[in-house]
Structures are given as C-alpha cells and as structure tokens.
Amino acid sequence: MNQVIKELEARRAAARAGGGAARMERQHAKGKLTARERLELLLDENSFEEYDMFVEHRCADFGMEANKVPGDGVVTGTGTINGRMVYVFAKDFTVMGGSLSLAHAQKICKVQDMALKNGAPIIGLFDSGGARIQEGVDALGGYAEVFQRNVLASGVIPQISVIMGPCAGGDVYSPAMTDFIFMVRDTSYLYVTGPDVVKTVTNEVVTHEQLGGAAMHSKVSGVAEGTFENDFEALVQIRRLIDFLPTNNREKPPVRPHFDHADRDENALDSLIPENPNMPYDMKEVLHRVADEGDLFEIMPDFGANIITAFGRMDGKTVGFVANQPMILAGVLDIDASKKAARFVRFCDAFDIPLVTFVDVPGFLPGTKQESGGLIKHGAKLLFAYAEATVPKVTIITRKAYGGAYDVMASKHLRGDINYAWPTAEIAVMGAKGAVEIIFRAEAGDPEKITQRTQEYEDNFANPFVAARRGYIDDVIIPHATRKRVIGALRTLKNKQLSNPWKKHDNIPL
Ligand code: HXC
C-alpha cells in the first residue's frame, strides 16, 4: 500500500512541477505567477479541488510522444471564493507555452460542463501561445468545443476571463464570448494574430503592446472590461467582483451585511449641481454617496468614460449602476458609451440584478464620425437593452435629459418602474439655446428677443414639472434623500414580475 501511495505522490509531484523549475523561474522573471500560484490566490485557502491532473495529450507527430507533461498545460477544478463555489481553469505557460491540445481542450470542456450543470461561475486564467502547433485540426476542434460551451453558458452562469500573459489565435475567442475580460498591465497581450503575422500580411510594424496590450484593449478597442497592475491585484479584484454576482441566473446575488443606514441623508448632494448648466460635476461622487459604504466595482472605467457602469449594493443587495458622466464629453451618448452600457444592462437583466440609472445627458453626439461609425445601430443597442430588461428599473434624472437620450436612459416609456427627478432636472427635446435657434430663426438678428425667447424656453422646460404633471416622473425628490428613496423603491420592486412575449430569441441590433 505504501508503495502505491508513494507512486501517487510522485505522479502528483510530476504534474505540479509543470514545465520544470527553469521555466517557472522564467515565468517569475517576467513578473508573472504560475498557474497554480494564481489559483491559490484566487480561491479560498485549501478549497481547490483539482481534476484531470494526470491527463496527457495523445499527439504522436513531431516527436510529441516523448514530450508529455501530466496535466497538459492547463490546471482545472473547483474551489470557493468567500465560501461560494466557482469552477476554474488556469493555463500553464510553462508547459508548451500553455498551448491548447485536444486533451487540454477536453479538460476545459469538462469544467465548463460541470459549471453549467451545477450553476456556478467559471473563471478562466489565460496565458497561452494558442493552438498546439503540433496538433493541427485536433486543436482547432478543441477550441470550437470550448466556444460552443461558452455560448450555451452565456446568460446562465457568470463567465469571467483574466488575460495574464500572451493570448493569441484560438485563445482570444473564448474570452470574447464570456461576460468580462480583465487584463494585467505590461504582461498580457490579446490579439488574433501577433506582430510577426501582421508584418507579413500588411507590412505594418507594431509592438505587442500596441497591437493587443492592456492599455489598448481597455481604453481604445473596448475588448477588455478593465486592467489591473499585476497578477496579485487582478486575482484579488476578481474575488471582489464574484462577491457582487449571483452564482447563476436562477439565484439571487448574495446579500451582504452592512453598516450603512438605508435612510442615510447625503446633504452634499443638495449643492452638487452647479448653477451654470454647462458646468460639469462628478457623477461618480453621486454613486459613491448613494451606494452602501460607497463601495463600487466599476466595469470599463477607461472606455466610453462618458457613461459609468458599476456594480454596487443598496441595502446589502447588488445593483447595476448606469450613469451619464458630465465630466467627460458632457455625458453625451456616443457609440462607445452606448455599446458599453448596453452590454452591462443586458448582463444585469440576465442575472436578475436591478438597474439604478442616473441621468444627466445632453443627447447623442452629433457628427460625421459618429454617423459613419453607425451611431444609429449602436445607440439602438442601449435603447433595446433597456427596453427588453425586466429587472427592477429605478431612474433618477439629476439634470439634463434631452431628446432621444431621455427616452433611452430607462425612461418611464421603456417600462422604468420608478422614475425620480431632482428639482434641477431639465427634461426637453433639446437645450434652450439650440431650441430657440431653430424655432425662432426669423428673430436671429435680434439678440434681445433671442435672450427673451431663451429665457421663456428655460422657464417652460428647464424643470422636471412638465414631465411630472404627465406622470412620466413619479416624484421630484430632494437630492439628499436619494439613497433612502432608491432603497425604498427597490424594496417595493422586490417581487416584481414581468416577462416579455415568447420568442426563440430577440434580434438586438448587433
Ligand atoms: C506549441 C508552443 C506554442 C504553440 C509557444 N510554444 N506557443 N508550443 N504550440 N502554439 C512553446 C514554445 O515552443 C516554447 O517551448 C514555450 O512554449 C515558450 O514559448 P516562447 O516562444 O519561448 O515564449 P515567448 O518568447 O514568451 O513567446 C510567447 C509567444 C510565442 C508570443 C506566445 O511562443 C508565440 O508566438 N507562439 C506561437 C503563437 C501562435 O502563432 N500560435 C498559433 C495560433 S493559431 P519551450 O520548450 O522552449 O519552453 C491558432 C488558431 C486557432 O491558435 C484558431 C481556432 C479558432
């Protein structure tokens, strides 16, 4: 018996050794942790249960039969994060660059299947050179098996990808179909083809960083939902994110005990809106003051920053905050902001997370760049997402709600449940100046008349009462009572029942 146990231990040790000490050393020298070190940080202490550590590839080409490492370049299994079950896989770059063989793919598929069956989130840690070059079509088929499972799990369990090294070729599309992609600064790259292929095909010379670095994807392309400084910060933050999320689409998000009174007043909000409607203020301050303990987890903080999307809690329960940010581009809705917020709204709706929307929006961004970029279709994504959402929707207009953007931002007309306005709200087709220039064009030569008309327009429309008289606003609230009122509204919506007509699926403007 002793001998058998010793043999088991030896086999386990061989699997844990991955690609060997020298390659682990190289991994550390690059500022990266190994796959197992990463899982240790991600999961609760001693909670990791590993599967398939003895799996080997079955490739016999290019001398591969003599090049086998148990585990085959990916560590898979289950564990807990603050006591709640998750499934994980972590690519081991020390084993053939974390490249994907058929056996490696089958290990990932196994945990994907278990996560879906058992209703738990799945987190993938990526650090890989793509398809195992020696395997050919087996590797390609393996990727497609993973992709298929990503799609079936979408909207059923949260799927999170963390890019912690190279991630190229076939490895990019699985993360792309998950709910969130996070990257690590300076050590992670995400691209379909690397700089060498780019040079061959297009003659363009680019660095890894320019082509697919964390800064590019979290600020320019919008492929990544966020960037962290290093492996350690990334894993700690993913633990935080998981705490906000339900484990699947049939469970409620966890309720977190807190020490923040539901009826806490925030007097500073009463003087937050500047006298001059063209002056900005920081909408993030509103969110921090309203959320439980000011605790927020922002999604895409550096992309489309004219809209804020963040998880927070109200009265201990997770909510999705969507808020126009007057500090950036006056909070206008453009292509990036629309896509960003639409995806966030759909995630919240899929996972039964109520939406709390703060509105200060001067409209959609005009111009040829936006129109030729497809603003109509992209703006419609956000409109569509809000309109189809059946979760509780509480909306607060703090200042401007102009034009089509008023409709889009969870208005009453899109089944907003409770719609509040601060007394500073201005709900109109457009700002007074623009409106007067159009409807009183004949008086343009008379500045005195124009000033008078502008004042008239402001008096009539630069307030929330026209909308309130029609019932489009349920109440005009004092800003300092916002937290109390939103929590009160969410309590009334606790048992909300609303469903859309039966359909196979909708046809959101992609
Ligand atoms: C097999 C691979 C590999 C791969 C890396 N390795 N990528 N083995 N298949 N795809 C091995 C290397 O041989 C090396 O082995 C070890 O991993 C580390 O690689 P290095 O090149 O030394 O590391 P580094 O300098 O850090 O460069 C990392 C890298 C580079 C940028 C990822 O390895 C690279 O360009 N790899 C190829 C990327 C690629 O073209 N993949 C195929 C994509 S096509 P030793 O033994 O020396 O440690 C694809 C199509 C799928 O994925 C489409 C499905 C839809």
Side-chain angles (χ1 to χ4, degrees), residues 211-229:
L211 190 61
M216 196 284 284
H217 280 312
S218 54
K219 291 181 186 165
V220 184
S221 74
V223 164
E225 269 72 25
T227 293
F228 300 114
E229 284 302 317

Side-chain angles (χ1 to χ4, degrees), residues 352-433:
D352 212 9
I353 296 172
L355 287 161
V356 177
T357 304
F358 284 90
V359 183
D360 187 346
V361 62
F364 280 99
L365 183 61
T368 51
K369 196 164 165 222
Q370 289 289 309
E371 294 291 359
S372 62
L375 177 65
I376 295 172
K377 276 272 168 82
H378 296 298
K381 288 177 181 158
L382 183 54
L383 175 54
F384 198 114
Y386 265 126
E388 74 174 341
T390 55
V391 285
K393 292 187 276 198
V394 178
T395 306
I396 307 96
I397 300 174
T398 58
R399 189 168 62 174
K400 296 169 193 164
Y402 290 167
Y406 155 75
D407 278 342
V408 170
M409 295 299 296
S411 65
K412 196 59 149 182
H413 324 281
L414 301 184
R415 303 188 296 182
D417 292 298
I418 305 285
N419 293 65
Y420 291 134
W422 285 4
T424 41
E426 306 169 22
I427 305 166
V429 174
M430 58 172 68
K433 190 168 167 291

Side-chain angles (χ1 to χ4, degrees), residues 19 23 26-27 30 32 64 67 92-100 127-136 139-144 147 165-173 189 191-197 208:
R23 289 192 182 88
R26 241 178 283 155
Q27 183 84 345
K30 287 180 188 155
K32 301 194 292 182
M64 284 296 278
N67 184 11
D92 183 351
F93 191 78
T94 69
V95 178
M96 290 169 257
S99 58
L100 180 136
D127 192 352
S128 160
R132 177 95 38 95
I133 293 166
Q134 298 88 335
E135 285 227 358
L140 302 185
Y143 270 124
F147 301 157
C167 188
D171 261 291
V172 302
Y173 284 110
Y189 309 107
Y191 37 60
V192 177
T193 52
D196 294 344
V197 178
H208 292 278

Side-chain angles (χ1 to χ4, degrees), residues 21-53:
R23 289 192 182 88
M24 288 196 189
E25 202 45 54
R26 241 178 283 155
Q27 183 84 345
H28 288 155
K30 287 180 188 155
K32 301 194 292 182
L33 298 173
T34 65
R36 282 195 166 72
E37 288 167 345
R38 286 169 175 162
L39 290 177
E40 234 167 79
L41 281 173
L42 178 67
L43 301 171
D44 295 341
E45 211 176 338
N46 295 326
S47 74
F48 183 45
E49 161 117 0
E50 185 169 345
Y51 303 133
D52 287 340
M53 79 190 308

Side-chain angles (χ1 to χ4, degrees), residues 132-179:
R132 177 95 38 95
I133 293 166
Q134 298 88 335
E135 285 227 358
V137 70
D138 269 350
L140 302 185
Y143 270 124
E145 297 277 346
V146 174
F147 301 157
Q148 178 66 64
R149 285 163 175 79
N150 284 131
V151 173
L152 295 180
S154 182
V156 182
I157 51 171
Q159 302 182 83
I160 298 171
S161 305
V162 194
I163 316 300
M164 312 185 85
C167 188
D171 261 291
V172 302
Y173 284 110
S174 173
M177 286 189 291
T178 61
D179 297 303

Side-chain angles (χ1 to χ4, degrees), residues 283-298:
M283 187 64 96
K284 275 191 196 165
E285 189 178 341
V286 178
L287 300 187
H288 280 292
R289 287 182 182 277
V290 165
D292 284 1
E293 294 162 358
D295 187 24
L296 299 174
F297 189 101
E298 209 179 330

